[in-house]
Amino acid sequence: MDAASVTVGVEEEFILTDPETGAPVAKNVEVARTAAELGIDLQLELTRCQVETSTGVHSDSAELASELRLLRCGVAECAEKNGVQLLAAGIPPTVPDRFPVTDTPRYQRIAEAYGMLAHEQGLCGCHVHVAVPDRETAVLVGNFLRPWLPLFLALTANSAIYRGVDTGYASWRSILWRRWPSAGPPPHFGSLAEYQSMVAMMQSSGSILDKKMVYWDVRPSMSFPTVEIRVSDVPATIEETVLLATLVRAMVMTARTSLARNISPPSVGTEVLHAAYWKSARSGLDGDAVDPVRGRIVPVAELLTELVDYVGPALDELGDRRSVTDALAAVLARGNGAMRQLNAFRVRREAVDVVTELASATLEGCR
């Protein structure tokens, strides 16, 4: 496998907030219009307080980091021109009872079909796309990624404060998100045909309206020749997003090597995987994690080290082992988004302090 052909791209979702109160502001159409005038293509999300950026295709992590920085800095300027600020957070720290849904035909259909689930959104994730030869490979690669999905969630957890209170979770976004009927870890699939059969059943039952609503945390992309990993909160910083994307890319390479050698993916029971998800959402980087493969409780830092060792050959091939090791050490020392939120909140127990901290983290490296 040629490492250069295993390209990567990233989508990041952001919240638009009032600069003073931190409350979400329904201005995604206006910000997207301003961005378009500057040549930045912003996607509208389900609610009017959200926008999404998409990078190009990259084979070099440093180039990916550079584009992520340009996008965050550029969109932040567009937001500022419209009187709002850009926030990288899994959920808004302070919110109204419901969000206005973006006025597109598809989003209005979703709102009608799913009721309050659609109006209680404002949930922002990070989606990593890694190139694969075909959709069959994407499905089979997903079987190898399933056991590691909770760890990626723990690494990027960035939604501890919601409605102005400490939720008791590092990633409350993931708890809210899994209420959707197609969210969470996918089943183990033996083939693309099995995957397609399951999706067809979900669509015919009405649990999803279309194939784009397959919200599993790893799936074949609907739009690109990639496998898409979508388990994460949007990371607080650009550095953390690059770390996530590089680890995911190396994981996909490792999975493809295993497939080529006829190595089977580890068998992980659904309930064990759900327990690992819950533990990652609860604790994030602060404490222990569940190792779904061996069914043990282990410090999350130790499991992250094991992950780096596991994908080490792929990282070496990419030339990224040193940068990943350094970035991981930095986030473990400083804390991820959830830990930053909690540290800021515990001083005065004011959500506005969390917003200030997140606004600074969002644009680290921009100035």
Side-chain angles (χ1 to χ4, degrees), residues 39-51:
I40 300 173
D41 183 21
L42 269 185
Q43 289 76 54
L44 303 180
E45 280 300 305
L46 178 59
T47 62
R48 289 270 283 119
C49 66
Q50 293 173 277
V51 293

Side-chain angles (χ1 to χ4, degrees), residues 328-366:
L328 186 56
V331 73
L332 288 172
R334 182 190 60 232
N336 59 8
M339 298 166 86
R340 286 183 177 218
Q341 289 189 33
L342 289 167
N343 288 338
F345 184 73
R346 286 167 178 164
V347 176
R348 297 192 307 153
R349 307 196 74 79
E350 294 285 348
V352 67
D353 295 338
V354 178
V355 172
T356 300
E357 173 65 24
L358 287 175
S360 175
T362 300
L363 299 182
E364 277 187 9
C366 287

